[in-house]
Amino acid sequence: MPALEIDVLGGLALRLAGAPLALPASRKARALLAFLVLSPRPRHRDHLCDMFFDRPDDPRGSLRSALWKLRRLLNADGVERLVTDGERIGFVGERARVDLRAAAERLTAADPPEEAERADLERLLDQPLLAGIDLPDCAAFQAWLVAERDALDVLRARARSPTASTSALPAGGSLHLARQRIGFTRAADGTRIAWARIGEGPPLLKAANGLNHLELDWDSPIWSPLFQDLARDHCLIRYDERGNGMSDWEVADLGFEVFVTDLACVADTAGHRRFPLLGLSQGVAVAIAYAVRHPDRVSHLLLWGGYACGWRVDGSSELRAEREAILTLVARGWGRDDPAYRHIFSSAFLPGATPQELADFDEFQRHTTSAANAVRFLEAFADIDVRHLLGLVRCPTLVMHARGDRRVPLEKGTELAAGIPGAEFVALPTDNHLLLGREPASRLFVAHVRQFLADHPG
């Protein structure tokens, strides 16, 4: 066993060779320690400054001071555990034993624990995560802490249910045996639209964003963890846009206007008078247009990775040439067994994905729609322009965006937030346009959604 032991279950505690170590007096320094210990990768100094230290002061100086204290603590026996690589700072987890990480590894090991050991793990996991480390004035850290506590709920459920899957089981196991209920409705032009609901809480309606499939999404490692989390405390309503998924593929009209009216059709069919509306990627513009047209129905707008106008509207000549070339590649290679053509598309959406995750997403895309419809979707998205509607939004709005988004640059998100009256903006620490369910940014996304809805009761 490593000489340094770190407990995050219950109150934060460190022991070196069994002897307790004195923690820093500063709660922020202790919170920074906990964040670095539980983070799966090194963090940029600017990100740590944004999370813990106020900009009007000297955030870099405050960070240096806190890190000096933490290095003395974590490296007390001469083993380098807090390391710096240029502007990034990380904790080397293999050189210490962290109680939460050890419990998680034991529960997911190939040889499952026996009954007595499992009971011990249950008692260990029943303790609160990082009790006394809350920082109400540091919103980003607090959102991260809420997300980590949600993740601990999943692990607790795994300890209680040995046969449950940690990737699919939400907190408390409440949805483990639940199923989504899929139905169909008809748009004004007769197009059949597939829609689904799951969960028993207040409604949350997600606008379609293209390349959806109600059944495949629910089992996808990309979408499933996010949807499972959202459905824990909401009745989550989703649908497949015309032209893809379980909705009709052979349709005459595949443009922005019918995207908005299809959303209206699903909202009317679901029967909820008023609801928060979630828009992701291209679904952001659709959600905005619906909210402006139906202000009495939308209580909140929750937007991720969106833009007010497509690349044909305001893109540079270089961007337009690149995207036109991609349209040609999609038309020629979308349906092929060789995923090379789709891979060009998917790698822009998920630059942080593993090779297996990219391969899974490549295959997923092929089953969502035809090559012809994929091109039609991309054509429609390129011509989107809702800039004139931004100032007409009247509901509380949360705009979130990936800090390193390569498909839709961060400034597109800031433009949205600047144009919508009173909108709040959050940049999350990821490069992925589509959130991977396993990454911390996905849990942060859900935590921010919950906090925003709680702060703006509608």
Side-chain angles (χ1 to χ4, degrees), residues 390-445:
L390 300 184
L392 303 178
V393 174
R394 293 293 177 261
C395 61
T397 301
L398 174 64
V399 178
M400 291 187 280
H401 214 95
R403 196 183 300 276
D405 196 326
R406 300 180 190 177
R407 182 69 183 178
V408 180
L410 180 65
E411 56 265 26
K412 292 290 188 178
T414 60
E415 289 168 4
L416 277 176
I420 297 174
E424 297 182 19
F425 180 75
V426 175
L428 295 187
T430 181
D431 294 337
N432 295 316
H433 179 64
L434 303 179
L435 288 169
L436 291 164
R438 61 169 171 76
E439 64 178 322
S442 181
R443 296 193 297 274
L444 276 173
F445 172 88

Side-chain angles (χ1 to χ4, degrees), residues 293-305:
R293 296 181 193 183
H294 304 276
D296 56 320
R297 304 291 300 277
V298 181
S299 62
H300 307 75
L301 274 177
L302 308 164
L303 310 177
W304 167 262

Side-chain angles (χ1 to χ4, degrees), residues 197-219:
R197 72 168 93 221
I198 188 168
E200 303 299 331
L204 172 61
L205 197 158
K206 174 191 171 291
N209 49 275
L211 303 185
N212 294 141
H213 191 296
L214 291 176
E215 288 190 324
L216 299 181
D217 284 351
W218 196 246
D219 295 326

Side-chain angles (χ1 to χ4, degrees), residues 187-370:
D189 63 358
T191 299
R192 186 178 62 175
I193 305 295
W195 70 287
R197 72 168 93 221
I198 188 168
E200 303 299 331
L204 172 61
L205 197 158
K206 174 191 171 291
N209 49 275
L211 303 185
N212 294 141
H213 191 296
L214 291 176
E215 288 190 324
L216 299 181
D217 284 351
W218 196 246
D219 295 326
S220 162
I222 306 297
W223 293 116
S224 181
L226 178 64
F227 292 160
Q228 291 270 7
D229 269 349
L230 291 173
R232 279 178 47 202
D233 43 15
H234 289 281
C235 173
L236 178 64
I237 300 162
R238 301 155 41 239
Y239 64 99
D240 288 336
E241 187 55 83
R242 61 176 61 213
N244 81 141
M246 299 177 69
S247 295
D248 285 346
W249 284 23
E250 301 297 327
V251 292
D253 193 356
L254 201 60
F256 184 76
E257 182 59 31
V258 292
F259 295 161
V260 180
T261 56
D262 286 351
L263 168 55
C265 178
V266 172
D268 292 344
T269 303
H272 297 283
R273 186 187 67 82
R274 192 166 167 81
F275 46 82
L277 182 56
L278 171 65
L280 310 177
S281 191
Q282 303 90 5
V284 164
V286 176
I288 289 170
Y290 178 86
V292 169
R293 296 181 193 183
H294 304 276
D296 56 320
R297 304 291 300 277
V298 181
S299 62
H300 307 75
L301 274 177
L302 308 164
L303 310 177
W304 167 262
Y307 52 91
C309 57
W311 54 266
R312 280 212 181 111
V313 178
D314 73 341
S316 65
S317 58
E318 292 83 2
L319 179 63
R320 289 196 298 272
E322 174 190 310
R323 295 294 171 86
E324 294 288 358
I326 289 176
L327 285 175
T328 301
L329 291 173
V330 169
R332 293 179 178 176
W334 187 266
R336 296 186 181 182
D337 289 335
D338 179 359
Y341 287 87
R342 295 186 306 277
H343 191 73
I344 294 171
F345 192 65
S346 58
S347 59
F349 280 82
L350 295 165
T354 65
Q356 185 58 54
E357 286 168 337
L358 282 176
D360 291 343
F361 189 63
D362 288 339
E363 187 64 15
F364 165 80
Q365 289 179 93
R366 185 169 66 151
H367 292 291
T368 60
T369 194
S370 63

